Amino acid sequence: MLSLIKEKLRGYQAKEIPAAKGICAGVVIPIFEKDGTVYIVLTRRSDMVRVHKGEISFPGGMCEDDDGSTMNTALRECCEEIGVPAKDIEVIGKLDDMVTLTGFVITPYVGIIPYPYDFKTSPGEVAYLVYLPFDFLKEAVPVMETAEYKGTRMEEVPSIYYQGERIWGATCRILLKFKRIIENEEV
């Protein structure tokens, strides 16, 4: 399955959004294969982070001046949040930039990590990890739910539920984009 994912991403041309459209951020979509099943590593954000408390997300965050690129940001944040250094990640592709309700422009990178891996989560940022099977994602049907930001109802956003966890907003949209690319629903 990893070889199929690599092949699909190799042929995909990600759409970029100018950085001036929001706050620059980079995330890694970490994947690994165990017993023939591909898993996506997600984080449950701690209640101590400044934004998106308790939400399911990818390892990642805001660009810093010395990062040099959104990929460097994503790799740095992946190391800080879940303890996977850049040398252990094989970046195999990039997905479309995405604007969030909170004003970020996220650039997602898909990266293979070795299995098994001894993750070391940052307790200040990550409450725990969620391992989402790609097979579950393939069958998931998102529901549209109203999102709120700073007490204001915003718009309908997609959500999927896995083992009691709500995966919604930008994280859900990125996962659905990833699924569509791999399943030949996007060119």
Side-chain angles (χ1 to χ4, degrees):
M1 182 67 178
L2 284 180
S3 59
L4 172 67
I5 291 172
K6 282 182 178 182
E7 177 186 323
K8 297 292 181 177
L9 291 175
R10 188 177 310 119
Y12 186 74
Q13 183 63 44
K15 295 165 191 68
E16 296 182 359
I17 296 173
K21 297 285 184 185
I23 303 162
C24 170
V27 301
V28 173
I29 304 168
I31 62 174
F32 66 85
E33 189 168 31
K34 175 188 172 192
D35 299 328
T37 299
V38 170
Y39 292 86
I40 302 162
V41 181
L42 298 165
T43 67
R44 167 101 175 172
R45 294 175 60 81
S46 79
D47 290 330
M48 295 182 270
V49 293
R50 191 170 52 85
V51 293
H52 306 294
K53 294 177 189 305
E55 293 181 10
I56 300 295
S57 66
F58 297 107
M62 290 189 297
C63 297
E64 294 181 0
D65 292 340
D66 57 350
D67 284 340
S69 70
T70 54
M71 185 165 78
N72 289 341
T73 297
L75 293 172
R76 174 183 53 76
E77 289 280 347
C78 191
C79 184
E80 290 174 8
E81 292 181 15
I82 66 172
V84 182
K87 69 177 182 57
D88 291 346
I89 303 170
E90 178 189 356
V91 176
I92 59 169
K94 176 178 158 182
L95 305 185
D96 297 354
D97 287 352
M98 182 164 301
V99 178
T100 71
L101 294 175
T102 53
F104 289 89
V105 175
I106 301 173
T107 303
Y109 296 89
V110 179
I112 298 172
I113 57 175
Y115 177 83
Y117 201 88
D118 184 21
F119 295 102
K120 295 189 181 2
T121 59
S122 168
E125 296 185 77
V126 177
Y128 53 84
L129 299 178
V130 175
Y131 305 104
L132 179 72
F134 186 73
D135 290 341
F136 176 87
L137 179 62
K138 288 191 323 188
E139 302 301 321
V141 177
V143 294
M144 297 305 286
E145 299 178 321
T146 302
E148 287 189 22
Y149 179 60
K150 295 185 177 180
T152 303
R153 288 173 56 100
M154 301 296 277
E155 61 184 54
E156 295 289 307
V157 296
S159 299
I160 58 176
Y161 290 84
Y162 176 70
Q163 295 185 338
E165 301 287 354
R166 179 185 185 211
I167 304 168
W168 68 285
T171 301
C172 186
R173 291 186 351 236
I174 290 168
L175 284 168
L176 295 172
K177 171 64 87 170
F178 180 54
K179 172 182 115 167
R180 288 191 304 268
I181 292 167
I182 305 309
E183 298 287 299
N184 288 324
E185 297 169 13
E186 292 273 336
V187 179

